[in-house]
Amino acid sequence: MNGALSSHLFTVPRFNEQRITQLSVRAVKDRGSSWKIVPSSNMELSITRPDDWHLHLRDGELLEAVVHHSSQHFGRAIVMPNLKPPITTTTAAVAYHKSILSALPKGCDFAPLMTLYLTDAMSPNEIKLARQSGVVFGVKMYPAGATTNSDDGVTDLFGKCLPVLEEMVEQNMPLLIHGEVTSPDVDMFDREKVFIQTVLSPLVQKLPQLKVVMEHITTSDAVNFVESCHEGFVAATVTPQHLIFNRNSLFQGGLQPHNYCLPLLKRETHRQAIVSAVTSGSKRFFLGTDSAPHERRRKECPCGCAGIYNSPVALSVYAKVFEEAGALDKLEAFTSFNGPDFYGLPRNTSKIRLVKTPWKVPNSFSFEWGDVVPMLAGQTLDWLPSL
């Protein structure tokens, strides 16, 4: 159903020879389906185990179904709090943390890093409790109505939320921002740009010591803004889909519901700007998949949900982008160093391999309650992650 994954960049790749070897690859099975691999002797990259700094794990049956796709390759993940009801207290975050741990495969060392859902009613004391908990590592700001399960989001950032933001500065707690305005007067494709002008820029000026992550950036405006800010205080996560898709991917060959996410995919010029930023070696940008699973019937319907389930393919896509940009030597910093450095956490010590060998993405993952369709379903990718 998704459009073909095409190559946009034509730079001859350069490689870090210290991290590349040759080996033979065998077929590997994944829970719920078989990864179809073409055996061959191919290039291998060895990188520090990555982290995912923006992940939706959901809860209940969906959590149990998808968590292994993240835990098998990522060491840690910042877990989004937009459940029903949202995770607005430290007590709720601790309970959700326990639910995730109980859903992990036996012996797995994946560490969920929890977040709180910012509301107009949150108190500064909740930030103190969050810092003391040892499991909460950020506060997520959704403008009310901006995306999935955001109806309880912020309506008065500079008024009711200001005491909370000031306490976040004191506690060195990052604010993780879905950067879009929600006014119906603003074009859907301009909402990130207007948010930067009317909300984010004034926020950074008012609280320059507040650590801010502008999540899933989609425009050259966001790239320019992040690069203009003081390094170490403002950073951005970047998704696989916003690196390889532009807004044509929503419509080519018919409406493509599994390419629909928020913020929306943008023009090709914006995609190119984001690729240039992340492959430049800048410390301001790091991996955040925004992987957001929905059951197939909630995507393929008259009012389909926003969200792309990319955890099974994310590392393969990132490797492709960096290879095409001739920047494989900068991939490890983007996937494994920049994120923990910004959050003040230690880098992972274990390694993961990326083997350049063709493998086919499953058409879907099937469970008793329904199917989940991954990004690039049914397509062949070039890089295969392996522990």
Side-chain angles (χ1 to χ4, degrees), residues 23-28 35-42 355-359 384:
L23 82 164
S24 297
V25 181
R26 298 188 300 271
V28 178
W35 301 108
K36 297 180 180 179
I37 303 170
V38 179
S40 61
S41 179
N42 281 306
V355 183
K356 192 168 185 184
T357 191
W359 65 277
L384 179 72

Side-chain angles (χ1 to χ4, degrees), residues 79-81 83 85-101 112-117 126 129-130 133-138:
V79 180
M80 294 296 104
L83 304 183
I87 305 298
T88 58
T89 67
T90 302
T91 299
V94 170
Y96 186 27
H97 181 262
K98 291 179 180 177
S99 296
I100 296 170
L101 292 179
L113 311 178
M114 310 312 293
T115 59
L116 298 185
Y117 184 115
E126 197 63 57
L129 294 174
S133 72
V135 302
V136 177
F137 290 84

Side-chain angles (χ1 to χ4, degrees), residues 34-51:
S34 295
W35 301 108
K36 297 180 180 179
I37 303 170
V38 179
S40 61
S41 179
N42 281 306
M43 182 172 62
E44 175 186 310
L45 304 180
S46 176
I47 64 172
T48 300
R49 191 177 182 186
D51 300 303

Side-chain angles (χ1 to χ4, degrees), residues 88-90 116-131 139 160-168 171 173:
T88 58
T89 67
T90 302
L116 298 185
Y117 184 115
L118 182 62
T119 70
D120 293 346
M122 183 175 285
S123 73
N125 188 59
E126 197 63 57
I127 303 303
K128 295 178 181 178
L129 294 174
R131 176 55 74 197
V139 175
K160 295 177 180 178
C161 294
L162 185 58
V164 171
L165 300 177
E166 292 172 338
E167 185 61 35
M168 290 174 63
Q171 300 295 333
M173 180 74 72

